[in-house]
């Protein structure tokens, strides 16, 4: 081999071939186990083996020859010794290429000019054995081409051939090579670039997701070339992108938008068909940034077609809707609006959001579009899965309709906007959210007329869910613009409005009256409006049983004359109807009862009593008294009868209960038998329970007076009954005497039970009870101030409140009633001063926060403090029980400033007055002058019944009438304001609108007689009351009968002695009616005359029942008359108020009461509670005896004692009398009586009280008479040290 190798160059080709054959033959002969001429155990390299065995003859051999003679031959190691053909063979054998190094060794020796041929061969081999070529090897070959192939320099045709050559190597392409490969087509034609992408797309199934992503990115780079979209030549831009990106993804919407040149957005987007756009947007994940979708639709001309024809996923609809919503809202023709809402957005509207229906979005909507929106949202939208509610829609409606001036979207000249059904069109079913302020801001009173009578609007407002003041306003405007509007045209519940003028009802004929009554029963459950009832009843010509059936609840509108005109049989047969009417006047009920009893109806049993229903209020006490006790006890088991009885006069209630008590007078039985709601009629003396007989659970369910509760509270306190469950009615009986035997834990529980509690009535406690509680707890108060009665905190010493607890203390105190404290204590100003110091309130102005803390303390502020406060103080003042003139002036200053929530004076209306709560009761003409008479009248119709229900003091009602009613007008020719009729007086605002002169001229005596009760209940002014009395005297020249006198109410207080002399006062009912304290105070000569007239009637006396009604007026009688009162009468009466009696009268009454209650002396506290009100007439000896019995007398009772008795009391006596209440001497040291007593005592004795009382005498003096005498000159005695 060496020899021939040396002469190789001299041999011919044939000779070389022959020698190669020889060599191959020889080597094959030496072949053993795949190796030829390889010595076992030696380190023979492929290079040595090739050179030793082939020499230069290797050039004529094939690569296969080498492998056949040496099976582990590695061609890459000797690539430099191989020919190009042998290298191609090598590359076609995958096992010869074990990685990037082998590829590098092979390709390094290949001239780039031969790459085309080499890679043609390699490609065929890869196609034949794709699974045997690793990604690393294929990537290595690609790198060779990228680095040395100089493909950017070849022509397009050659480049296309190269793409085919490289295609097999691109299978499983590494993501790292994507950019190198794609960059090969840079600066080439679009066709070349597309072909490259087609090549990649053909093998896309072999590519990893990462590689595909890299390809996608490179496609984007191609599209974002310096010449954007240079390869786009027209047609659908969507298809262009689909063809460009092929299977390597599709740009999301944001990316798509970024590919659009700014100047060509509209052009390119509109090449996309609606179906293509639907496909585009329906792709998962294609919408990343929702606003970009809106960019598409802002340029897209086929939006309407798209919305109508393309079915896209819900999440896509949700994204599209905000983009097209403005188009829907801006559509201006009805057909276009209907298309948008009924067709295009039919499947989109359910995706509306709170933002899309917000005022910001819809504010600029066209009127027709907004109208459609209201309709759709009101009638077709489902809110269950929505993020907003109907109230949010209304908020946008309110904003839309309030914009601008005038009625928005109404134009009488525009056929599309001239509909009078404006409320239906633009508010629709959202009308239930409207407020009166909203309504008047949408349509003012000068514009509303055109809409009022529209049937659709009327039906819309026929909805009980609409606020009442809105409905009333609508009705008011309707009848102001058209007073003759047909009542029968009013739909449903609108008939229930109390603002329909009574004249409209009065003008009905009898047939229409019956029709209206039927509608009222259907839609309004009848009518309880007294004025409307009277108006309807006034249309009835003949009263029959059918009349009552037709009138129903409006039967109370009948006059007494009409009732009397009805046959008694008609009344009897109509009892079920009449007994269900709840608005009877006392006179009407009396008339009916008199009529049916005079015709033979017997009220003698529980059944007959129950059959009367609400008419039970008309049963006179004498008739009630004739019913057997057993029958009344049986009747009392009927809850409805008891409920009706609560509306009866007190004298009837008292008679009813007296009879029940007579069945069994033992306290335990009395409490068991008497209905819970009427327990206040039980005489206190019957509430003294024998030990172990009181059933606390039964007691706890009843309604008591404080006097009653104080008698049995000791019994309650000494049980283990859960104090938290005790009613407010029972707890109001708390006294120091009652808890004297309980341990400290128990009285603490009882005091804690008196704290304010949500959902429970306040425990009404008087000052002595509150100071008693404080004295008991004085040294053990917790810092949780809400654990105590709010009113008790008035007496807490501010020095016991740490600075850090100031806010919590004054917040709790803010719930207190400051009027409970005696005026002499000056608690309001003192606590305000303490609050300012403690809370750090500086300057004259009270902030909103200050007022929220101070609460009810505002009721005690001076006018200057009120004027300088945040307007919130008006809300605080609404809770006040009374306001001074200075406070009222300050309130009016704030209101007139226009800086409160009630706005400027020019905006005030009826709603303003109603929003002021109780404040209008105190306002003066300076405020009332800002309102028109109709507004004031409508306000009074609602305000006055509430005031009367709350039993407002008559003096306040008189003041209100003086300020609000028109002043006296010039004398004219007769009645000009309209004759006063049954309908007139049924108006709750009556007699507003009539000055004194007109009242006198317009009120006829027959009308007065027929409506005396109603008139007297409403007239509070003294001058008007004199008119009534004068006309009454004219109507009854021979004297006013009992039944009329009973109706006088507060008018009776304006009577003169001469008037009274004309009155018949023979029955207890009349006496009770005249003595009713709610009608105001009497002058003593008048009450004396009244009582005397009563007593002059045979059979009448000052019994316990009389005493209950006369009460404090007893002090008007001479002592000679008082002396005829029996001890039983006092004993069976309520505890009387005799504070205004003279000393002599008090002594007479004390003697009687002492005799009455003497049987209870073995229980000093019980005895004391029974006689407490009469102790002003007690002698010193009796008082001194009480001082030894641990009664815990309160300071009010002490100072009410006879002056001579008080002067005779020693320090020891007073200590014994007051017990736990002793500290109140210091509290009330400025009281005149207390001061006088202090000055009469030795200072040294006063010092033993440890109260800090000063002003006593100094020195020793002559001893005083012993304490068992009744002498009163005991002020100069030497006092012994107080027992410890």
């Amino acid at each position: 081999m060496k020899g021939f190798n040396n002469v190789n160059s001299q041999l011919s080709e044939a000779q070389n071939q022959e020698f190669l054959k020889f060599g191959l033959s020889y080597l094959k002969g030496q072949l053993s186990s795949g190796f030829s001429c390889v010595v076992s155990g030696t380190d023979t390299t492929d290079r040595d083996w090739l050179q030793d065995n082939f020499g230069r003859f290797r050039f004529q051999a094939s690569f296969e020859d080498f492998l056949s003679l040496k099976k582990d031959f590695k061609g890459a190691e000797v690539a430099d010794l191989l020919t190009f053909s042998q290298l191609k063979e090598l590359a076609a054998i995958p096992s010869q290429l074990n990685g990037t190094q082998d590829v590098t060794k092979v390709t390094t020796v290949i001239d780039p000019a031969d790459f085309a041929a080499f890679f043609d061969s390699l490609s065929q081999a890869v196609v034949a054995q794709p699974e045997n070529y690793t990604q690393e090897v294929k990537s290595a070959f690609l790198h060779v081409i990228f680095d040395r192939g100089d493909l950017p320099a070849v022509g397009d045709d050659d480049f296309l051939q190269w793409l085919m050559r490289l295609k097999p190597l691109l299978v499983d392409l590494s993501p790292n090579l994507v950019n190198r490969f794609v960059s090969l087509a840079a600066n080439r034609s679009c066709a070349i670039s597309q072909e490259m992408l087609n090549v990649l797309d053909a093998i896309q199934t072999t590519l990893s997701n990462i590689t595909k992503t890299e390809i996608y990115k490179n496609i984007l780079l191609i599209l974002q070339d310096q010449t954007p979209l240079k390869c786009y030549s027209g047609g659908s831009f969507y298809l262009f992108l689909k063809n460009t990106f092929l299977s390597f993804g599709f740009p999301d919407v944001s990316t798509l938008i970024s590919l659009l040149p700014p100047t060509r957005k509209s052009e390119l987007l509109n090449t996309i068909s609606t179906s293509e756009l639907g496909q585009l947007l329906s792709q998962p994940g294609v919408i990343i940034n929702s606003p970009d979708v809106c960019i598409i639709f802002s340029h897209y001309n086929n939006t309407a077609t798209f919305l109508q024809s393309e079915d896209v996923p819900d999440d896509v609809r949700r994204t599209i809707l905000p983009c097209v919503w403005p188009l829907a809202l801006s559509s201006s023709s009805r057909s276009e609006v209907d298309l948008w809402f009924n067709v295009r957005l039919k499947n989109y509207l359910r995706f509306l959001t709170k933002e899309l229906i917000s005022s910001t979005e819809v504010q600029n909507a066209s009127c027709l579009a907004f109208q459609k929106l209201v309709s759709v949202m009101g009638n077709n939208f489902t809110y269950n899965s929505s993020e907003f509610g109907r109230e949010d829609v209304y908020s946008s409606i309110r904003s839309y309709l309030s914009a601008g001036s005038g009625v928005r979207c109404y134009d009488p000249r525009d056929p599309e906007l001239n509909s009078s059904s404006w409320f239906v069109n633009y508010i629709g079913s959202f009308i239930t959210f409207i407020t009166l302020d909203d309504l008047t801001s949408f349509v003012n009173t000068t514009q509303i007329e055109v809409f009022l009578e529209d049937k659709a609007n009327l039906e819309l407002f026929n909805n009980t869910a609409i606020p009442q003041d809105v409905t009333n306003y609508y009705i008011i405007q309707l009848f102001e613009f058209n007073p003759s509007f047909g009542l029968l045209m009013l739909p449903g519940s609108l008939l229930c409005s109390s603002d329909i003028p009574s004249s409209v009802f009065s003008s009905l004929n009898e047939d229409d009256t019956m029709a209206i009554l039927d509608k009222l029963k259907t839609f309004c459950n009848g009518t309880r409006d007294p004025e409307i009832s009277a108006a309807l009843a006034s249309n009835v010509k003949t009263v029959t049983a059918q009349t009552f059936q037709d009138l129903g609840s409006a039967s109370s509108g009948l006059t007494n004359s009409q009732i009397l005109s009805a046959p008694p049989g008609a009344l009897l047969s109509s009892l079920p109807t009449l007994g269900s009417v709840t608005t009877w006047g006392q006179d009407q009920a009396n008339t009916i009862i008199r009529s049916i009893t005079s015709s033979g109806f017997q009220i003698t049993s529980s059944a007959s009593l129950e059959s009367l229903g609400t008419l039970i209020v008309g049963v006179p006490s004498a008739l009630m008294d004739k019913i057997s006790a057993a029958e009344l006890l049986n009747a009392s088991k009927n809850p409805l009868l008891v409920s009706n009885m609560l509306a009866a006069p007190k004298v009837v209630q008292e008679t009813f209960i007296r009879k029940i008590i007579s069945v069994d007078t033992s306290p335990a039985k009395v409490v068991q038998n008497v209905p819970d709601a009427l327990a206040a009629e039980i005489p206190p003396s019957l509430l003294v329970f024998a030990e172990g007989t009181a059933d606390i659970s039964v007691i706890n369910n009843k309604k008591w007076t404080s006097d009653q509760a104080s008698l049995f509270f000791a019994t309650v306190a000494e049980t283990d009954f859960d104090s938290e469950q005790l009613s407010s009615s029972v707890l109001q009986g708390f006294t120091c005497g009652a808890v004297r035997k309980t341990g400290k834990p128990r009285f603490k529980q009882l005091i804690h039970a008196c704290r304010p509690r949500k959902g429970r009535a306040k425990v009404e406690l008087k000052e002595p009870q509150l100071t008693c509680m404080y004295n008991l707890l004085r040294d053990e108060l917790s810092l949780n101030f809400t654990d105590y009665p709010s009113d008790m905190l008035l007496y807490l010493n501010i020095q016991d409140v740490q600075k850090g607890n100031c806010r919590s203390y004054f917040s709790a105190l803010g719930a207190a009633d400051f009027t409970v404290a005696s005026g002499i204590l000056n608690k309001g100003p003192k606590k305000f001063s303490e609050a300012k110091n403690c809370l750090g309130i500086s300057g004259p102005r009270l902030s909103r926060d200050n007022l929220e803390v101070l609460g009810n303390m505002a009721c005690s502020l001076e006018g200057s403090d009120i004027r300088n406060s945040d307007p919130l103080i008006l809300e605080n003042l609404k809770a006040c029980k009374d306001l001074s003139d200075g406070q009222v002036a300050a309130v009016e200053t704030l209101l007139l400033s226009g800086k409160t929530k009630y706005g400027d004076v020019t905006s005030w209306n009826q709603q303003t007055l109603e929003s002021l709560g109780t404040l209008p009761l105190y306002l003066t003409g300076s405020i009332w002058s800002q309102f028109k008479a109709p507004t004031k009248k409508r306000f009074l119709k609602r305000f006055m019944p509430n005031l009367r229900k709350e039993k407002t003091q008559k003096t306040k009602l008189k003041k209100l009438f003086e300020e609000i009613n028109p002043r006296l007008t010039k004398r004219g020719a007769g009645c000009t304001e309209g004759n006063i009729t049954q309908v007139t007086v049924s108006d709750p605002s009556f007699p507003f609108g009539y000055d004194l002169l007109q009242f006198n001229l317009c009120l006829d005596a027959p009308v007065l007689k027929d409506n005396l009760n109603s008139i007297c209940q409403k007239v509070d002014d003294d001058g008007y009351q004199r008119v009534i009395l004068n006309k009454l005297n004219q109507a009854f020249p021979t004297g006013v009968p009992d039944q009329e006198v009973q109706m006088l109410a507060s008018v009776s207080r304006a009577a003169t002695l001469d008037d009274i002399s004309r009155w018949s006062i023979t029955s207890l009912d009349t006496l009770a009616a005249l003595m009713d304290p709610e009608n105001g105070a009497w002058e003593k000569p008048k009450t004396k005359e009244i009582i005397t007239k009563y007593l002059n009637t045979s059979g009448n006396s000052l019994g316990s029942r009389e005493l209950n009604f006369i009460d404090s007026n007893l002090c008007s009688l001479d002592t000679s008359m008082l002396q005829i009162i029996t001890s039983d009468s006092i004993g069976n009466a309520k505890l009387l108020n005799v504070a205004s009696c003279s000393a002599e009268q008090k002594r007479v009454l004390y003697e009687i009461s002492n005799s009455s209650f003497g049987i209870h002396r073995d229980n000093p506290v019980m005895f004391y509670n029974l006689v407490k009100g009469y102790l002003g007439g007690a002698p010193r000896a009796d008082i001194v005896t009480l001082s030894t019995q641990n009664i815990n007398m309160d300071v009010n009772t002490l100072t009410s004692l006879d002056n001579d008795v008080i002067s005779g009391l020693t320090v020891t006596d007073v200590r014994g009398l007051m017990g736990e209440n002793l500290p109140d001497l210091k509290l009330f040291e400025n009281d005149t009586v207390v001061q006088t007593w202090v000055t009469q005592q030795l200072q040294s004795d006063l010092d033993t009280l440890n109260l800090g009382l000063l002003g006593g005498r100094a020195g020793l003096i002559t001893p005083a008479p012993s304490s068992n005498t009744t002498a009163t000159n005991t002020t100069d005695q030497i006092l012994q040290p107080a027992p410890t």
Side-chain angles (χ1 to χ4, degrees), residues 508-716:
L508 297 172
N509 59 41
E510 198 158 359
D511 289 340
D512 286 346
T513 297
M514 296 304 123
I516 288 296
L517 283 167
D518 284 339
K519 292 185 74 173
L520 287 172
K521 289 176 184 177
T522 302
F523 298 106
C524 313
N525 193 25
T527 178
R528 289 178 176 80
D529 186 299
E531 188 178 6
I532 292 176
S533 296
L536 290 168
S538 69
N539 298 329
V540 176
K541 306 305 179 187
T542 304
V543 179
T544 64
Q546 185 60 46
T547 303
F548 296 125
Q549 186 67 33
D550 292 335
L551 287 174
S553 59
S555 296
S556 61
L558 293 167
T559 66
N560 287 313
S561 298
Q562 286 177 302
I563 293 171
L564 286 172
S565 71
L571 291 169
L572 280 172
S573 64
S574 302
L575 274 183
T577 298
L578 301 178
S580 66
V581 177
T582 60
T583 50
W584 290 117
Q586 185 63 50
D587 55 341
Q588 294 170 307
N590 291 353
T591 300
I592 294 173
I593 296 298
R594 281 198 303 272
S595 179
I596 62 175
T597 54
S598 65
S599 67
F601 182 74
Q602 298 292 312
I603 305 176
T604 56
S605 65
S606 61
S608 59
L609 202 58
E610 290 169 4
S611 71
L612 297 176
T614 56
L615 289 172
I616 198 171
V617 302
V619 177
S621 65
L623 188 53
M624 186 71 70
D625 199 34
K626 292 178 181 179
I627 305 173
S628 74
E631 287 293 330
L632 291 181
L633 177 61
N634 186 44
S636 71
K637 309 302 181 186
N638 184 326
L640 181 58
L641 182 143
V642 172
S643 176
N644 290 330
M645 182 62 74
L646 291 173
K650 279 289 184 183
V651 66
V652 178
Q653 295 181 20
E654 189 261 1
T655 305
F656 182 67
I657 297 304
R658 288 274 175 156
K659 295 286 286 189
I660 292 173
I661 289 172
S662 69
V663 173
D664 189 332
T665 59
S666 64
K669 275 296 184 180
V670 168
V671 170
Q672 182 178 328
N673 289 339
V674 171
D676 295 344
L678 292 168
E681 301 305 320
I682 300 173
S685 60
L686 292 181
L687 295 173
V688 181
F689 296 92
E691 187 172 352
T693 63
D695 187 331
I696 306 303
S697 296
V698 174
I699 290 174
N700 198 45
N701 288 329
K702 298 190 180 295
K703 303 297 182 185
W704 303 104
T705 66
S706 58
D707 282 342
Q708 290 173 312
S710 67
L711 290 170
F712 57 71
F713 196 78
T715 302
V716 174

Side-chain angles (χ1 to χ4, degrees), residues 1079-1100:
N1079 290 320
W1082 278 104
E1083 297 170 15
K1084 286 187 177 182
K1086 296 179 182 179
T1087 52
K1088 181 179 179 181
E1089 176 67 16
I1090 289 170
I1091 297 169
T1092 301
K1093 283 180 71 68
Y1094 174 78
L1095 294 175
N1096 287 338
T1097 300
S1098 176
N1100 289 346

